[in-house]
Amino acid sequence: TTTTTTTPTSPNHLKRVLIVMTPWMGSPVLADLQCMWEVYQCVQLGLRVQLGFTAKDEGGLLAGATMHFGNFLGALAAAVEQREREAVPRRLAQDGDGLRAAVQAVEGGLEAVVGAVVKALREWVLMVVQLQAEAAVAQAGSASPLYQLSAGLFLAGESEVAVELFKRCLKINVALTGPESLETAATHNNLGLAYTKVRKFNKAVGHYEKSLAVLVAARGVANADTGAAYFNVSFAYEALGRTDKAIQALEKSREIRRATLGDKHPDVANSLFELAKLYRSEEKYRKALEVCTEALQIRVASLGETHAETAQTYFELGRLYDAMREQHKAVEMFEAALRINVAVHGESHVETGRTYNALGTMYGGLHDLTKGLTMFFKALKIFTAQLGENHYETATTMGHLGVALRMKGQEEKGKELIFKSVRALTLSLGQNHPTTQMFDRQFIKCALAANLKN
């Protein structure tokens, strides 16, 4: 069905919407607000939206979704938004059919319209590529096409979908290659990764352990895949509160990676770095310091001083020295992390904000409130812009800033920020969370101080 009207009643005449992608990623529909508005209306009415390709382009849909599904959707949204932002001021100035008012009436405006259309297209693309992958499996006689699609979708953040597809891959691999094959082991490992991502940690552990059993039986303990599997399972153990098992897994991972990859390999540093964090959580500070220092040496040598993972290691060393009450050393480490984060990520990145926040806490502990306030203000500005006012990191920084302002004698401003912090933390973490309760106590102190003055 074809229509040329933009009135709200036009979708009632449609059964489904077909967006013809010719040329690919340059369809005029995606560059025209009028067409996008009609598609949006159809989406709101629950009509099915799908893409149409030439025979040549349709053949590449599975490959495109497998290799960069997230990029496909992101590029689609970005292309629409960019074209519309460039064209809307001119087009809407001449608008005679209510389009401007209609778009502005939608909560979220143009961004919400584009987002709804992209969401509908995502659902259709996922359905089609899964059908294509199943057909390719039947033709190839192996799970490989479906496995590649599953991995691509997992990397694109489609973890729930990836879980279901990896489960299908597992059934195929067990049937075709047997439960003890390396293909089956790899699928168990990827299911472990996917289940970890969707926070189903018991299931993740089960698949990791099956993968390890097959790998050790087939290749022995001393191989890189086994080292990687021990590394992966440690995160699921940690999430389940089984810290002792997580440490054991990381220690095995470290030794296997040393033996198979060499002492100075970045993967060895990764195992050491995660070990340091767990040792710190268990208050084994000297062991944590030893392995974290080694991780830093490896990362500086293999990745360079100005690298994001080097910054992470300096940051972890800062946390360690803070826990050991060596605050001047902690400041030194956090400042090193800050220099790298600003160089790598820029002044407005969340990692930079976290480092400013940590330095604010350190300077406060060292009674340098002027520097502490500067750090907290910078962190709060970044978090508010990047995470939003009600995010727990924003709210926590706001609370620390409020406390610091009170210590500097700015009672009313400090009280106001602490109150905002408690309100946001209650929304994000809940009323009974320790951080919420900590700042709630600070707010009660503010109220008591005000009563005493009166």
Side-chain angles (χ1 to χ4, degrees), residues 380-401:
L380 183 60
K381 181 180 178 182
I382 294 168
F383 289 155
T384 302
Q386 301 299 327
L387 303 175
E389 200 167 85
N390 290 325
H391 192 275
Y392 75 92
E393 289 189 73
T394 310
T396 302
T397 302
M398 193 181 299
H400 284 306
L401 178 57

Side-chain angles (χ1 to χ4, degrees), residues 2-240:
T2 303
T3 181
T4 58
T5 178
T6 60
T7 61
T9 59
S10 61
N12 294 330
H13 304 295
L14 304 177
K15 299 299 182 184
R16 63 177 179 171
V17 181
L18 178 68
I19 300 178
V20 179
M21 301 295 288
T22 305
W24 168 246
M25 287 305 294
S27 170
V29 173
L30 300 181
D32 188 277
L33 182 62
Q34 177 174 311
C35 294
M36 282 297 297
W37 175 246
E38 289 187 347
V39 175
Y40 170 76
Q41 289 179 298
C42 294
V43 169
Q44 296 303 103
L45 289 172
L47 299 182
R48 180 177 172 184
V49 179
Q50 64 188 70
L51 301 175
F53 304 91
T54 63
K56 175 184 174 184
D57 286 330
E58 187 168 8
L61 182 60
L62 176 59
T66 299
M67 296 303 294
H68 40 239
F69 182 74
N71 289 345
F72 161 69
L73 292 177
L76 177 60
V80 174
E81 289 177 14
Q82 180 62 29
R83 288 177 182 138
E84 289 310 320
R85 287 195 176 112
E86 292 171 355
V88 163
R90 171 177 47 79
R91 188 180 298 133
L92 293 189
Q94 302 170 351
D95 176 32
D97 60 5
L99 187 56
R100 177 176 187 173
V103 172
Q104 290 180 339
V106 174
E107 184 177 353
L110 177 63
E111 187 176 343
V113 170
V114 172
V117 174
V118 171
K119 181 176 183 290
L121 292 176
R122 167 194 169 274
E123 294 168 358
W124 180 83
V125 171
L126 282 173
M127 177 190 71
V128 171
V129 294
Q130 287 180 64
L131 291 173
Q132 290 186 349
E134 290 284 1
V137 166
Q139 186 174 3
S142 79
S144 179
L146 192 60
Y147 185 86
Q148 291 172 7
L149 175 62
S150 307
L153 294 177
F154 174 73
L155 291 174
E158 299 286 344
S159 303
E160 294 280 1
V161 180
V163 164
E164 296 306 313
L165 294 186
F166 277 132
K167 285 163 64 177
R168 172 76 178 126
C169 289
L170 183 62
K171 288 181 180 179
I172 296 170
N173 279 328
V174 169
L176 294 178
T177 65
E180 309 300 323
S181 71
L182 292 175
E183 291 87 347
T184 299
T187 311
H188 276 302
N189 182 71
N190 282 347
L191 263 171
L193 289 169
Y195 273 125
T196 299
K197 196 70 175 178
V198 299
R199 306 187 64 79
K200 295 181 179 178
F201 301 114
N202 280 312
K203 288 190 174 183
V205 166
H207 284 288
Y208 282 134
E209 290 179 343
K210 287 177 181 177
S211 176
L212 277 165
V214 174
L215 285 169
V216 171
R219 290 184 171 176
V221 173
N223 75 85
D225 288 340
T226 305
Y230 276 119
F231 181 80
N232 292 338
V233 74
S234 70
F235 295 98
Y237 283 137
E238 182 186 2
L240 290 169

